[in-house]
Amino acid sequence: MVDKAMLHTTREVDPVTGVISYNGVSRAVFTTHPIEKPYLIFQIGSADPELAVQAAKVVQQDVSGIDLNCGCPKPFSTHAGMGAALLTNPDLLCSILTALRQAMPPEITVTAKIRLLPSQEDTLKLVERIVNTGISALTVHCRTRNMREKDAAVIGRLREIVEFVDKMGKGIAVIENGDCENFEDAKRVRRVTGASSVMIARGAEANPSCFSPTPLVDVETTLMPAYFRLAKYFGHHWSLTKFCVAQFKGKRVTVTKAESTALRSALSQGKGFEAMNDFVGTWTGEEEFKEIVRAIEENPPRQRRMLPSSFVIDEGDLEEASSTEQAPSTTLVTPPNTQNPEPPTSRAPLLPKDFEKELGPPPPPALTPTPGGGVQLGS
């Protein structure tokens, strides 16, 4: 979100759904829900430290972190000095991050997303400066500014960056982005790069369950109807809903090609939610949302993190280690005496009632997440 777009918005809360909208003159610029807050990072496009801070302060009550976009190569971003243009203006880039870190309270993380520079040496120099601003995590899109989606991501360059950041000793998580589509891809990328985590964009647009080892199949029946119900319940704009659903795809098992074609034809011609009545059935969006709340309460995402060994070591390696009574490698396990990756002390409605009992007291007000996908409470 461009910083200036947020400065003149009005925050409104829907009394029925709880949806929080930051409304511009004619439309909602940004919407969220309190249940998302513990997991929500707000990405800002900015070329001005003061404007970046002002925009961050507008939304800070509804998010857990602020991320500076230093990677978007599109002209609408770079022409104003934002996005990937910041890669060649490190003084400005670092001044924005420094200003954000100084202005935000400790519980709000500040992170950055960059692209590779053509030279690895220049990339490492930039990474060093960025890490020293006090950020909590760094995402590296493993393409250069001039590369596009059709160009294979150069993930092989990331391992040196990960090791470089690790040697700086600040406990900064490095996140890989580029050519990671699903759960299996994430394991591959972790093995190749040693990154703390991965970021998935296109794969998640195609199938939001791609993060699961068993993603949804037959999305025409398992995903689309529920998405339509939720979108209508929350008052989403039809055109945006239509665009998002059109991206959904997945393996078909019981749904026939003819059924899929009929649904997508109705979607392309539809002028509103009523066009999908025959496919959706009962519009029970409120019940769909209750199911989501219940699932989060019963199985919080924090408790479902994968241990590093499940990414880095193949199953055969684990069996061999077990047979020789050797513990699997723990090089990526969160080291003792460091805080957990969650923004400290964040609280939002609808969290489990036994949140504190289940997870222990909140971590101390430190700023940086630690490398590794595992979570180790206490020391």
Side-chain angles (χ1 to χ4, degrees), residues 77 81 96 201 214 242 244 297 340 374:
S77 182
I96 296 173
T214 55
K242 182 176 179 177
C244 291
E297 290 178 341
N340 299 309

Side-chain angles (χ1 to χ4, degrees), residues 116-287:
L116 296 171
L117 295 176
S119 161
Q120 184 77 334
E121 180 182 359
D122 289 340
T123 302
L124 294 175
K125 289 180 180 178
L126 177 63
V127 167
E128 182 177 21
R129 292 192 62 180
I130 291 174
V131 168
N132 283 329
T133 64
I135 62 168
S136 299
L138 176 68
T139 300
V140 181
H141 185 162
C142 294
R143 292 183 174 91
T144 64
R145 174 177 174 175
N146 293 328
M147 295 173 69
R148 294 297 179 263
E149 292 178 358
K150 61 182 176 60
D151 301 312
V154 193
I155 65 172
R157 284 181 56 182
L158 188 60
R159 177 167 286 280
E160 184 179 5
I161 297 172
V162 170
E163 293 173 350
F164 178 82
V165 173
D166 185 53
K167 288 178 181 178
M168 291 182 69
K170 295 181 180 292
I172 304 299
V174 178
I175 303 165
E176 189 276 343
N177 179 222
D179 288 353
C180 185
E181 298 287 330
N182 52 43
F183 181 88
E184 292 302 319
D185 260 355
K187 293 195 294 184
R188 170 185 62 85
V189 169
R190 286 287 301 275
R191 285 194 294 266
V192 171
T193 68
S196 307
S197 186
V198 298
M199 180 178 291
I200 301 177
R202 285 174 290 163
E205 288 180 343
N207 189 337
S209 66
C210 69
F211 303 94
S212 169
T214 55
L216 293 174
V217 298
D218 293 325
V219 295
E220 291 84 356
T221 57
T222 60
L223 175 60
M224 291 183 183
Y227 190 89
F228 279 126
R229 296 186 192 108
L230 285 169
K232 184 177 181 181
Y233 172 66
F234 286 124
H236 288 183
H237 195 281
W238 165 249
S239 296
L240 178 58
T241 302
K242 182 176 179 177
F243 174 81
C244 291
V245 174
Q247 315 305 310
F248 293 164
K249 60 183 178 182
K251 182 180 179 181
R252 291 199 304 270
V253 178
T254 60
V255 173
T256 66
K257 183 177 180 180
E259 291 171 334
S260 177
T261 300
L263 187 155
R264 294 181 184 275
S265 176
L267 176 65
S268 65
Q269 299 174 29
K271 305 299 182 182
F273 286 100
E274 63 280 355
M276 308 310 298
N277 284 342
D278 291 342
F279 296 95
V280 174
T282 305
W283 291 93
T284 54
E286 183 176 6
E287 293 304 313

Side-chain angles (χ1 to χ4, degrees), residues 61-97:
Q61 64 185 307
D62 297 312
V63 304
S64 282
I66 303 295
D67 183 75
L68 179 64
N69 183 342
C70 313
C72 179
K74 300 299 178 64
F76 80 86
S77 182
T78 57
H79 91 279
M82 299 182 294
L86 290 171
L87 298 175
T88 53
N89 194 347
D91 289 340
L92 177 59
L93 190 166
C94 292
S95 69
I96 296 173
L97 291 174

Side-chain angles (χ1 to χ4, degrees), residues 35 60 114 295 341 359:
I35 199 172
Q60 73 176 60
I114 66 171
L359 301 181

